[in-house]
Amino acid sequence: MAEAVADAKKEKISTWRALGLALTNKKTGFMALFGFAQGLPPALFLGTLYAWLSEAEVDLETMGVFSLVGLAYAFQFLWSPLLDKVDIPGLRRLGKRKQWIAPMQLIVGIALLIMSFLDPGSALGWFSLLAAIGAFASATQDIAINAWRIDVADETATLDILSTITQMGFRLAALIGGALGLIIAERIGWPQTYLIMGAIMLSIGIASLFAPDASVAKRSAATVAANEDEVAELYNAGEVTEKVRNRALLAVGLLWGWAIATVVVFMVRSMTATPETRPDVTEFTTTFGPLIVIATVVLPAFIAAWIAKQKREGTNIIVSAPGVGAGHKVKFTDHLYRALVLPLVEFVGRMGWSLVLILSLVLTYRICDSIWGVFAYPFYLGELNYTGDQVAFASKFFGVFAILLGLALGGWIITQFGRMFTLTLGAVLAAATNLLYADLAIGGELMQAGSDAIGFTALVNFIAGAFQMSEIDGLARLTFTIFWENLAIGIAGAAYIAWLSSIVAKKYAAVQYALLASLTLLVGTLGRGALGQMIEERGYYFVFIFTTLIGIIAVFLCLAEWYRESRGKKAAGIVALELGESAA
């Protein structure tokens, strides 16, 4: 008994030591910086900027055009293959990921600096162009940073810890670029605020040059030659024939080409049309968004599954390839196939039928908070009749703190109990917090009682009084509800990003992660129209009960994925044991 206690204590100490080593690692520090760099541009291009435009008396129709920059984040996976397989001339020596991260951060910083010297009232065209360039560069650095996190993770700076740190940096940047940006602008003006934010991004871009990269060795002619040899492996025995590859490439190329052309045409139409003929962004996203995902993810996945089946069954494969291999002269189509098709072939071939479970979990895990998030402010301000100051106090002050606390707690739980336990716990909490809102929708008596019982009400009233807020009656139960929901979002977010990063292959990290991430909020986005109608017909209370039930689906999928992973690890352990015994 004493030995068991001693072992448990030892394990606890080792866990804390591992966490301490991870948090003091150089990679973890840069991960926090990169997470901050990911969170700041969206806040400035998609949120705070509208306050500046409103102050400059820009009309709402024109502001709607600015929302087009959000398409860069929604469809960033369309150009993700470039980051995996293309080097920037003159910058390849920085490293595989840094050659994209640092320049994109500098471009964002320069765009913000130039915007600070312009007047949105008289230079709106330049404003829209700079916002589009900045959003595109920001979305591109997101692809590279997500791949960098997967590449550099090791036994000290684990993937779980790096994923948690990413989210913490992102949320902190959103707070600084959003709420703090508004406060600063009230005191020194919008141009000076954007000047400061641009200088911050430039500083981060310069600091990124000193970050460790996936490849420590300098990029050289030998490295490029090695890539050529890797492509030449497509001609080795056991690979599908060139004819099959070209057919698959043509099909996938046409699908991706249609998707890219659709987005570009829509943006050009929106930028050049009059307010009366301008297409609706929301309608485009809900109508063409699913079609673009089907064209770039679903159908190519079927094509990849077909190729994997060909290789598995020995059909349409190269039987022998004398003289082909290292040093083989590859074709341009081989590079395209390796960039567009091979990442999906690898993923489908590795996952098999488990891909159905994985995609189901990706589509449903974040649905609880994503599907109703757009209705949050109508619920707070219209249904519950809270003031804007009260909502800002609860969601920005306490809410952001709760998310950061949840991320930190989630990182600790992952270290202590494992990734899948935390992922499942996050799904349970995300579903359960909808019940808190259900109580709030019918008066919030339970929320008020809970807040009173733990002294939360006294704390909220004290802080609100310090800020000289009036009409603080009922503020505690709103803040109490938002606090626990955001805490759950933080825990779930830490686990989800870690899990998503763990199932992609390092070799194709940029493409595979971008594709999976694009699906995360798809169901929530598509379901908002139906949810809005449901709110009108049945009320918020019914909707929150409904979203709770939806969240339970993700819980069961988490349990199934947990079982799948544990079974895979057990099978791998048995194989390793048998190999060890045979070697002995």
Side-chain angles (χ1 to χ4, degrees), residues 360-374:
S360 299
L361 183 54
V362 167
L363 289 168
T364 58
Y365 190 78
R366 298 299 302 273
I367 192 172
C368 279
D369 56 282
S370 67
I371 195 171
W372 95 273
V374 71

Side-chain angles (χ1 to χ4, degrees), residues 347 351-363 557 561:
F347 192 66
M351 293 299 177
W353 284 105
S354 299
L355 184 63
V356 177
L357 171 61
I358 289 170
L359 291 180
S360 299
L361 183 54
V362 167
L363 289 168
L557 291 173
E561 171 65 6

Side-chain angles (χ1 to χ4, degrees), residues 135-171:
F136 178 82
S138 170
T140 303
Q141 71 142 359
D142 288 355
I143 299 170
I145 288 174
N146 290 330
W148 179 89
R149 179 180 66 249
I150 296 166
D151 288 346
V152 304
D154 54 29
E155 293 182 356
T156 302
T158 65
L159 189 59
D160 297 330
I161 294 299
L162 292 179
S163 300
T164 302
I165 295 298
T166 302
Q167 285 289 295
M168 294 183 72
F170 186 95
R171 297 294 181 176

Side-chain angles (χ1 to χ4, degrees), residues 191-226:
Q192 292 80 3
T193 301
Y194 269 67
L195 184 68
I196 294 173
M197 299 300 175
I200 291 174
M201 283 301 301
L202 285 177
S203 301
I204 294 175
I206 295 172
S208 297
L209 298 173
F210 302 96
D213 200 66
S215 176
V216 179
K218 291 183 178 180
R219 305 282 282 172
S220 61
T223 309
V224 176

Side-chain angles (χ1 to χ4, degrees), residues 87-153:
D87 290 323
I88 301 178
L91 297 179
R92 64 179 56 163
R93 292 182 178 274
L94 290 177
K96 184 178 181 181
R97 307 302 181 191
K98 283 166 56 181
Q99 66 173 326
W100 288 99
I101 295 174
M104 295 303 109
Q105 291 171 343
L106 293 175
I107 290 174
V108 172
I110 291 171
L112 292 172
L113 287 180
I114 296 176
M115 291 173 73
S116 71
F117 290 100
L118 298 176
D119 176 23
S122 59
L124 198 58
W126 281 105
F127 251 69
S128 61
L129 177 62
L130 289 168
I133 293 173
F136 178 82
S138 170
T140 303
Q141 71 142 359
D142 288 355
I143 299 170
I145 288 174
N146 290 330
W148 179 89
R149 179 180 66 249
I150 296 166
D151 288 346
V152 304

Side-chain angles (χ1 to χ4, degrees), residues 374-392:
V374 71
F375 302 106
Y377 284 109
F379 175 62
Y380 300 145
L381 301 173
E383 181 75 8
L384 303 181
N385 296 317
Y386 284 101
T387 66
D389 286 344
Q390 290 174 328
V391 173

Side-chain angles (χ1 to χ4, degrees), residues 447-462:
M447 294 301 96
Q448 187 66 55
S451 179
D452 293 341
I454 65 173
F456 194 85
T457 301
L459 176 64
V460 169
N461 289 341
F462 173 77

